[in-house]
Amino acid sequence: SPDRFEEAAIIDSKLSQSLGVQRGDRFLMIIDASYPLMQSYQAAGLDDMNAIFENISPEDKPVYTSSPVSIISLMVHDIVDETYGKLPSDDEFFVMLPYASANELLGRGLSPYKSTVAQRDTFRAVDPNLVASQIIFNFPPSDRKGHYVDENYDAAQEFAYDFAGRIVAPVGFNQIDATLPLLRFLYNYRFFSMFLSLLIWIIIAALSFLSIVLIYSLLTINIESRTYELGVMRMEGFPRETLTWLVIVGALLFAIPGWIIGLVLGQAAFAIIRTYLQSLLGAELAVLLSADAVGFATLAGLGIPLVASLAPVTSVLTQQLPDALNTERGRTKAIDYLIERSDDSYFSWTILGMGTALAVFGFLIYYLFPLALINLNLSLLFFIFFAVLLGMLGGLILLSVNFERFVETIFQYAFLFWENDAVFLRSEEH
């Protein structure tokens, strides 16, 4: 380290290569800090050019001092390769000095031909904290990362404005100029985070649906192969709750190993990605998965089997005991008769459920869609479009099921018209 802390400088690698200096080497720097430290020059009486531009406003004055340049000697304390967004990206080179010793260094380097010893001493004695032209505030570390990764730009903007307002309001909005460079950075990526969030939710929904279908198929096969065993258990007096838990435990046995393996693989993948992200972002990341990630994984790993076991549980509880114990007849019913009586006591729960679901879906669309437009909540808007897309997909599935028989008949007459009646009827049955 240098002998004097106030002469320590941190420079970037490009400037180090350009000057050919390393840690511990000294170099001279010519700097013009007349505008950032304007009050220091004025306190020392070095604002000798103000009289020349007496009739020009201070904002339009090209110069106000004839001795703005200081020549200082610095020692390289450290060399950095990346600034990680802490400095403007358009700076070609940068040199960082201890702010507490800025007036001391610049005062010693003022030209002796354009300033007196008394003026230089006065310049050096000015407290840098009283002449600062810019102060940078960081978000509180406790909730900083949560707002950085929020896919809703409006929420991050609201937090930033609230944070800046609590700082600026006591001083006075008309006294200082407050800027929010972080919002400008987040503004450029606001759509990317939303689309990425929507894409992840689409992938989660698709994988959840496939998992439900897979577990449902495995449970159905398992129950079909154990129909007689379950019938005997019912005949021996096993209650419905026991049979229900038997099916649910069977579903969890499919999911719990996958849940454990998924958490282990997720932690291993996160450990690998974490190293790359830390070098890219320059931020310290947690070693273990967050509680939210583990919670969502647990909810998906244990919730999906419960949803998939609803239909098999219903099948077990509604099957007639003689049919379950009869091993000579097949389980598949060729003809199923449903007799409905035309009396006032009949009530269709299916129609009620479908009507209620469609009414709630329509209400949410007509309420949330204008709400998203008024609040400019693009994230909510994308999720509404995703819900509409799923509804269109479900409608197309129902349409295809209803037209299935019609399309089969067309293909039958188009490709089997030359066959005899027996072959034609047999293909129609199958």
Side-chain angles (χ1 to χ4, degrees):
S1 61
D3 297 335
R4 303 185 62 178
F5 175 75
E6 62 267 15
E7 297 178 358
I10 299 177
I11 64 176
D12 66 315
S13 57
K14 294 183 293 184
L15 181 59
S16 172
Q17 295 175 1
S18 177
L19 298 179
V21 294
Q22 300 297 329
R23 292 182 180 87
D25 294 344
R26 282 191 171 274
F27 66 96
L28 294 178
M29 181 177 179
I30 302 176
I31 181 173
D32 180 1
S34 56
Y35 278 93
L37 299 178
M38 181 183 296
Q39 293 181 353
S40 299
Y41 283 86
Q42 293 175 350
L46 296 175
D47 53 342
D48 53 348
M49 302 296 288
N50 278 336
I52 300 178
F53 303 99
E54 183 177 359
N55 297 325
I56 301 178
S57 61
E59 294 80 7
D60 299 331
K61 291 181 180 179
V63 292
Y64 72 94
T65 176
S66 61
S67 56
V69 176
S70 294
I71 302 176
I72 56 179
S73 175
L74 301 173
M75 180 176 288
V76 180
H77 177 69
D78 200 358
I79 301 173
V80 297
D81 296 324
E82 296 289 341
T83 62
Y84 304 109
K86 300 299 182 182
L87 295 177
S89 59
D90 54 352
D91 288 347
E92 184 177 0
F93 303 122
F94 69 85
V95 178
M96 288 186 286
L97 306 175
Y99 183 72
S101 59
N103 281 357
E104 175 68 25
L105 284 174
L106 296 175
R108 292 205 309 259
L110 290 174
S111 172
Y113 301 103
K114 296 184 178 181
S115 61
T116 64
V117 175
Q119 288 176 323
R120 293 194 295 271
D121 291 340
T122 303
F123 188 98
R124 294 162 57 185
V126 175
D127 186 0
N129 295 322
L130 301 179
V131 298
S133 59
Q134 185 180 18
I135 301 176
I136 300 176
F137 290 90
N138 290 327
F139 289 154
S142 57
D143 55 354
R144 182 185 305 168
K145 293 181 181 179
H147 294 282
Y148 289 169
V149 300
D150 193 346
E151 68 273 8
N152 189 357
Y153 172 78
D154 295 333
Q157 184 183 42
E158 181 180 358
F159 172 77
Y161 283 156
D162 178 71
F163 177 79
R166 286 186 279 111
I167 297 175
V168 176
V171 180
F173 288 94
N174 59 337
Q175 301 296 324
I176 58 177
D177 183 18
T179 59
L180 299 170
L182 180 62
L183 282 184
R184 291 198 296 268
F185 173 80
L186 295 177
Y187 182 82
N188 296 329
Y189 297 96
R190 65 192 187 283
F191 294 119
F192 172 77
S193 60
M194 291 182 183
F195 279 112
L196 182 61
S197 176
L198 181 61
L199 179 62
I200 291 176
W201 278 109
I202 292 175
I203 294 175
I204 291 175
L207 294 179
S208 300
F209 176 76
L210 293 177
S211 301
I212 291 174
V213 172
L214 178 61
I215 295 177
Y216 166 76
S217 302
L218 294 175
L219 287 177
T220 303
I221 295 173
N222 185 28
I223 291 175
E224 288 290 337
S225 62
R226 300 177 58 190
T227 302
Y228 180 76
E229 179 184 352
L230 294 175
V232 173
M233 295 172 65
R234 292 174 58 188
M235 184 180 64
E236 292 177 350
F238 277 78
R240 292 176 176 268
E241 293 78 6
T242 303
L243 297 177
T244 301
W245 279 109
L246 183 64
V247 177
I248 292 177
V249 170
L252 293 177
L253 289 178
F254 291 119
I256 290 178
W259 170 63
I260 297 175
I261 294 174
L263 287 179
V264 173
L265 294 179
Q267 178 62 53
F270 176 73
I272 298 174
I273 298 175
R274 172 179 174 271
T275 305
Y276 173 74
L277 289 179
Q278 285 191 149
S279 61
L280 179 65
L281 302 176
E284 185 68 23
L285 301 178
V287 179
L288 301 178
L289 293 173
S290 64
D292 293 339
V294 177
F296 280 121
T298 304
L299 179 62
L302 302 182
I304 289 176
L306 297 179
V307 175
S309 61
L310 293 178
V313 167
T314 305
S315 175
V316 171
L317 297 180
T318 57
Q319 190 177 27
Q320 298 295 328
L321 183 57
D323 295 336
L325 296 176
N326 192 345
T327 59
E328 296 180 357
R329 297 178 57 184
R331 307 298 179 191
T332 304
K333 296 181 180 180
I335 301 176
D336 190 6
Y337 292 97
L338 179 62
I339 301 176
E340 296 181 358
R341 299 185 181 275
S342 58
D343 53 9
D344 297 334
S345 61
Y346 175 74
F347 185 80
S348 177
W349 290 98
T350 303
I351 296 178
L352 176 63
M354 293 183 60
T356 304
L358 292 175
V360 172
F361 182 77
F363 170 77
L364 292 178
I365 292 298
Y366 282 102
Y367 173 75
L368 296 179
F369 184 73
L371 180 65
L373 292 178
I374 293 174
N375 296 332
L376 296 178
N377 192 342
L378 297 181
S379 179
L380 179 60
L381 196 61
F382 289 150
F383 279 109
I384 292 174
F385 286 149
F386 177 56
V388 173
L389 180 63
L390 292 180
M392 294 175 60
L393 181 61
L396 290 175
I397 293 175
L398 293 177
L399 183 64
S400 63
V401 171
N402 285 276
F403 276 91
E404 181 180 3
R405 181 59 181 169
F406 176 71
V407 175
E408 289 177 353
T409 303
I410 293 178
F411 275 88
Q412 187 178 10
Y413 280 98
F415 297 102
L416 299 177
F417 62 90
W418 65 85
E419 295 287 355
N420 55 43
D421 294 340
V423 176
F424 197 87
L425 292 176
R426 179 56 60 90
S427 64
E428 186 178 6
E429 294 177 357
H430 293 81

